[in-house]
Structure formats: structure tokens, C-alpha cells
Amino acid sequence: MYCRNCGGEMNDNQAICLKCGVATGTGNSYCSNCGNPVAPNAAVCLSCGVAIQKPAAKGSVANGSVANGEYLGGKDKVTMALVCFFLGGLGIHNFMMGEKKKGIVKIVLSLCCGIGGILALIDFIKILMDKYEVDPEKAF
Ligand SMILES: [Zn+2]
Ligand SMILES: [Zn+2]
């Protein structure tokens, strides 16, 4: 294989390039398969046709446990706090944020023994303190 930074030839088990000193896989100027120059953003080497491995991008991996990066799934904090306060015992705020499991648990608890409102009150406090985490996989 070849150094992606300088195009110099190197062994497969080398950790760094002996010519330019960078760690194996660093750089985006040369094809690691044939050593020919490639465009920095190329997905495939035009010389040999091999797919080019991109250096691991930092911060681009989405956090799987959160629906998206926004607080309360992008919903308005005041709106969610009000919905949670008045309709929280029925899990309405959970459904609005895509958390079906939490919503269903609250409905069942409210109908069976009336304690769904306690969970809603906890959610309400968390929302106000900016501590609420939207997680569709959790039931509580
Ligand atoms: Zn090199
Ligand atoms: Zn190539």
C-alpha cells in the first residue's frame, strides 16, 4: 500500500510513513492502493478504481439515543412544559416528542392507579431544568 499523505510506498503493517512521518491512513492526497494522486474529496481512485477510505471524521457520528441534536427534539420548551403540566398524565408531551413508549406507560399507569401524573411531574421538572432527554427507546 501507499502513504495517503505523500504517495510513498509502505508495508501493510507500518504504523507510520517512513518518508513523511504521518500515521498510516492520514492524508487525502494519494490513493493507498496504487499511490497515484487523487482529489482530496474523491470517493474512488480514478487510477485504480478502488474506493478510498476517508479519515475518521470527528463529531459527525450521530448520537443514536437522541432523536436529533436539539433539546426536546426541537419542540418549544414552554409549550412542552405546559403540555406536560396539564396533559402529562396521559403522556401527550411524550407522544409529541416521538416517545411512544413513555407515553403509553403513562396512560396505563394513569388508568390503572393514577400515578402517571407523578412521572409527568418529574418530566415537567426536568424540562424546566433543561435536563430532559428525548429517548424513544426508554419507557420511563
Ligand atoms: Zn508519507
Ligand atoms: Zn488507486
Side-chain angles (χ1 to χ4, degrees), residues 3 20 78 107 111 140:
C3 175
C20 70
V78 175
I107 290 175
L111 294 180
F140 293 97

Side-chain angles (χ1 to χ4, degrees), residues 7 15 23 27 38 42 49-50 66 78 93 100-101 118 125 137:
V38 293
V50 161
V66 179
V78 175
H93 60 296
K100 288 199 182 85
K101 288 181 186 174
I118 295 173
I125 293 168
E137 296 305 315

Side-chain angles (χ1 to χ4, degrees), residues 3-8 10 17-22:
C3 175
R4 295 226 52 213
N5 188 53
C6 70
M10 54 198 286
C17 172
L18 296 180
K19 284 190 181 167
C20 70
V22 303

Side-chain angles (χ1 to χ4, degrees), residues 96-112:
M96 288 176 71
M97 292 186 284
E99 302 175 298
K100 288 199 182 85
K101 288 181 186 174
K102 288 185 190 176
I104 290 167
V105 165
K106 284 193 184 59
I107 290 175
V108 171
L109 288 177
S110 287
L111 294 180
C112 292

Side-chain angles (χ1 to χ4, degrees), residues 79-92:
T79 304
M80 294 318 296
L82 288 173
V83 171
C84 180
F85 188 78
F86 290 108
L87 302 168
L90 296 174
I92 305 300

Side-chain angles (χ1 to χ4, degrees), residues 71-72 77 123-133:
Y71 184 55
L72 301 179
K77 179 180 167 182
D123 286 353
F124 177 69
I125 293 168
K126 282 185 182 171
I127 288 172
L128 289 186
M129 294 177 67
D130 292 340
K131 297 280 190 227
Y132 194 87
E133 271 183 50

